[in-house]
Amino acid sequence: MSSSTLSLKSTLPLPNSKHEIPRLGFGVYQSHDQTCVKSCLTALKAGYRHIDTAQYYANESLVGDAVRQSGVPRSEVYITTKILSPGSDAESTYKSVVESVEKIDGGKDGYVDLFLIHSPNGGRDARKLMWQALERARKEGKVRDIGVSNFGKGHIKELKEWAEVWPPAVNQIELHPWCQQRTAVSYCEEKGIVVEAYCPLVRNQKADDKTLKALAEKYQKSTGQILIRYCLQKNWVPLPKSDTPSRIEANADVYGFDISKEDMETLDGLDQGDKGAIVQAVTN
Ligand SMILES: NC(=O)c1ccc[n+]([C@@H]2O[C@H](COP(=O)([O-])OP(=O)(O)OC[C@H]3O[C@@H](n4cnc5c(N)ncnc54)[C@H](OP(=O)(O)O)[C@@H]3O)[C@@H](O)[C@H]2O)c1
């Protein structure tokens, strides 16, 4: 997509859904206490309309507080959370999902836009319990769309064995030039599953990479802005995190320029496969 059409307001359609997902998200992993509230408020003021939290981050209520304080209507903010592990049975797993919804949006008609299984690592029974709990919450309107995270091709296919809702709306995985997870990404693209990029900034660990620095100089942007723009041009939904107001703003200032096809290919050439992951590469 060219710079003239892509903006902070751009969205992507989701499979099995009438809802769309904003193409830039704001991550809040390791954002705690009032810092989390302040960062979300700064992000919403800067124009982000999509926040990515999780049970594991222990800040779902803080994200909810920030959205309420911001004055931005709930219907205009896209909120994602993730279930970390199942309870001992279907009912307790479902309860855990509902508790998250209540923390984020406790009103009578409270909902979250997207609820993901955080990780496939708990095993087949865990994946089944969590997916069925998410399906129930979706049916009841507490959750609009459901998806997965850290899932490889095999895990996504396996869901079909018991899923009423398939494919999952999104798969959130680690993605940046050094970790491109091509098998999982092309499978998702083939099935219409939206691909979300976590650690899109590689946690700033590649700020001194020569190729990246040269491109930042060429486009007169920061290395972070190049990395986020790279994700957007790949059709991935990047979820940059920051608790630094100036960085929160800069990370959303990624429009009005295009990385050329040739320079996208140069960035593609940095892929190190699974070795490039700083958190986790999926198992396909
Ligand atoms: N599903 C999963 O398993 C999973 C795993 C990891 C992450 N995630 C999601 O993806 C989000 C992003 O991933 P992440 O937080 O791990 O990593 P990230 O977004 O790649 O990097 C965040 C780090 O980079 C720093 N930073 C942010 N903007 C910067 C800039 N413009 N220049 C220099 N440094 C900058 C931040 O520092 P300051 O905060 O100090 O500014 C923070 O330390 C998470 O918050 C979470 O929502 C999901």
Side-chain angles (χ1 to χ4, degrees), residues 26-29 52-53 57 82 118 149-150 172 197-204 222 224 239-244 247 250-251 279:
F26 181 65
V28 295
Y29 177 46
D52 183 82
T53 180
Y57 308 164
K82 315 178 192 86
H118 203 137
S149 177
N150 295 300
Q172 181 181 127
Y198 76 64
C199 298
L201 299 165
V202 211
R203 297 186 176 158
N204 206 33
S222 69
L239 307 167
K241 177 266 172 186
S242 177
D243 280 325
T244 312
R247 289 172 170 178
N251 294 344
V279 175

Side-chain angles (χ1 to χ4, degrees), residues 1 7 41 50 59 96 102 106 139-140 142 157 162 165-166 171 186 190 193 199 215 222 235-236 247 250 261:
M1 195 181 271
S7 80
L41 285 169
H50 172 180
N59 55 18
S96 153
E102 283 169 355
K139 217 178 251 174
E140 292 174 358
K142 295 183 195 312
K157 280 188 176 170
W162 53 74
V165 178
W166 199 94
N171 187 19
S186 60
E190 197 185 295
I193 300 167
C199 298
L215 287 177
S222 69
N235 256 349
W236 303 337
R247 289 172 170 178
K261 187 167 171 286

